[in-house]
Structures are given as C-alpha cells and as structure tokens.
Amino acid sequence: MRVVVAMTGASGAVYGVRTLQLLHDTGGVETHLVVSHAAALTLRHECDLDVRGLEKLADVVHRPSAIGAPIASGSFGVHAMLVVPCSIKTLSAVAHCHADDLIARSADVCLKEGRPLLLMVRETPLHLGHLRTMTAAAEAGAIVMPPVPAFYARPQTLDDVVDHTVRRALARVGVPDVAPPEWDGRIDP
C-alpha cells in the first residue's frame, strides 16, 4: 500500500508528524512525503524538528517543485493521500484544480482517479469563502476533516488528542490497523 503525506504551512505540523510516525510503525505502507516551504518553517517553529528529521519517517521524499514525480501521475498506484495540515491556500488550489506544485497536482490526481484524498484543513474561524471552498473540494470528492478534538475519548494529554485525530483520519482513508478504539456506547453516570 502506498500513501502520500503532504504537509503545508498551516499550524498543526504535529498532525503530519504523527501521521508519518503511525504509518512508519504500521509496516506494509510505503509513504511518499511532500513538505512545502511554509510547512518546513512551521515544523521547525511548532515541533522543534527540521525537515531532514521528518524525512527519516518516510520511504520516499519529493520536493514540492518536482511536478514530474511519480505521485503526480494517475498511472502510479496510490492508496490514498492526506494533506496534514492543509492550509487554505492548498485547499483553494485543490478545490479549483490549480495544480501548480506537486502537492496540488498529486491531490488533483487522487481526485481524478477516484482515490481517497483527505484534507485536514487547519484554520479558524472560517469565513464564507473558506466554507465555500471546502464545499467545492468536497463536491470534487475530497474528504474535508478539520482536526476537531473528540473529547468523548477522554484525552489526558495533547498527544492523546493528536493521536486520536490522526488515527481517525487514517482509518477514514482505509489504512488498516490504525483506527482508534471503537466507541462502546456507554456513558458513565
């Protein structure tokens, strides 16, 4: 199974890092990583991690300017793509087929080939233009998944919140063996 993980400059670099960690630890998943220039800056600021450290978690690394990379072609079989986090700029590029870099082009390929594309849009508050762009992306076939914490899981730490959100995202695109525990329906009095 091949999974593309793209990171853009929105806040929430920890979601991309955790996605790669889980895929790396799962085994049987070939990961292709694309990190935008803005994402590299955010990664350093938010996680005290540089791109070289992050790249160790991926099987294949592509530069955002490498528009001719294999992941930019529909003939290259990919199970799914996740953009974590996804900036409004990248959301707009995907929603409006503006494939001027490898992230947007690979996302466009996933949509045209009917493959799962998950956009973890990290922006708040949202204005009407953001909402309409999310709708356009969803109408094109993307999964729009803002990283909203699930408190029913009773997280104790920020890592718990991030882990649960990423596990839900990976499960949503069909990556086996990473889903969070199923809700059992019980609510303690």
Side-chain angles (χ1 to χ4, degrees):
M1 171 184 299
R2 286 185 188 128
V3 175
V4 177
V5 177
M7 294 176 64
T8 66
S11 182
V14 65
Y15 291 109
V17 173
R18 186 64 182 138
T19 300
L20 284 168
Q21 288 170 337
L22 284 170
L23 291 172
H24 183 266
D25 294 346
T26 298
V29 179
E30 178 183 303
T31 54
H32 288 253
L33 174 65
V34 187
V35 179
S36 74
H37 176 71
L41 298 173
T42 304
L43 180 67
R44 180 169 288 135
H45 178 74
E46 292 183 351
C47 301
D48 293 323
L49 182 64
D50 65 13
V51 174
R52 293 204 196 292
L54 181 70
E55 289 174 347
K56 293 176 183 175
L57 295 170
D59 295 301
V60 182
V61 176
H62 305 280
R63 299 291 162 237
S65 60
I67 201 74
I71 61 174
S73 173
S75 67
F76 189 75
V78 169
H79 176 77
M81 178 175 180
L82 298 95
V83 183
V84 286
C86 181
S87 66
I88 294 297
K89 176 184 174 184
T90 300
L91 168 70
S92 297
V94 171
H96 301 291
C97 308
H98 185 72
D100 70 340
D101 68 8
L102 185 57
I103 294 173
R105 173 65 185 154
S106 299
D108 192 62
V109 166
C110 281
L111 292 178
K112 80 178 185 71
E113 297 295 331
R115 298 173 183 152
L117 169 65
L118 187 138
L119 307 175
M120 193 174 284
V121 179
R122 227 308 303 148
E123 184 63 66
T124 190
L126 300 165
H127 63 64
L128 186 56
H130 296 152
L131 296 170
R132 286 184 175 151
T133 305
M134 286 184 197
T135 299
E139 287 172 343
I143 302 159
V144 179
M145 183 181 168
V148 178
F151 293 106
Y152 64 83
R154 309 287 300 261
Q156 301 298 304
T157 67
L158 182 57
D159 287 343
D160 292 344
V161 172
V162 170
D163 188 73
H164 187 266
T165 300
V166 169
R167 287 179 182 279
R168 293 223 27 222
L170 289 169
R172 177 62 181 86
V173 299
V175 176
D177 304 323
V178 293
E182 290 183 358
W183 173 251
D184 64 9
R186 289 183 288 161
I187 298 177
D188 296 331

